Amino acid sequence: MLRLRVREVAQEKNMSMHRLSMKSEVSYHVIREIFINPYKAVSTYTLDKIAEALEVPVTDIIEDVPKWRAEEERKRLKGHLESS
């Protein structure tokens, strides 16, 4: 299962969601959704724009994770969002 590492890479580069949105020309709403849900489906065009803004290859912002790990993380994310 594919997981987006956008939040992690942006943090490594000290780039806020707002700055990433402006630099990539991807809406802040989409960037925020990716930060909250790293399993969000996005187009390859969007991934390319984000990777370019982060100055990394697209392969640096995508990782392949086992399905069981993705399901566990999704449950944690859902629980966190519901308790907020």
Side-chain angles (χ1 to χ4, degrees):
M1 190 155 239
L2 294 181
R3 181 185 184 283
L4 302 178
R5 297 188 63 251
V6 175
R7 179 178 55 206
E8 293 91 335
V9 175
Q11 288 173 343
E12 290 168 9
K13 296 189 169 273
N14 296 316
M15 191 176 295
S16 68
M17 287 188 284
H18 181 265
R19 185 165 164 230
L20 179 57
S21 172
M22 298 299 288
K23 193 171 179 185
S24 66
E25 299 179 348
V26 173
S27 80
Y28 178 83
H29 177 75
V30 171
I31 297 293
R32 184 175 178 274
E33 285 185 16
I34 293 170
F35 270 53
I36 292 170
N37 176 12
Y39 298 96
K40 177 175 175 49
V42 296
S43 72
T44 54
Y45 178 75
T46 298
L47 287 177
D48 189 50
K49 289 174 73 171
I50 291 170
E52 187 176 317
L54 290 168
E55 299 176 355
V56 297
V58 172
T59 54
D60 283 5
I61 62 171
I62 300 173
E63 70 178 320
D64 190 15
V65 297
K67 187 176 181 178
W68 64 267
R69 180 177 160 205
E71 289 171 356
E72 283 181 1
E73 188 173 15
R74 282 181 168 169
K75 285 178 188 175
R76 276 195 316 273
L77 291 169
K78 184 178 179 187
H80 176 73
L81 290 175
E82 290 174 353
S83 66
S84 296

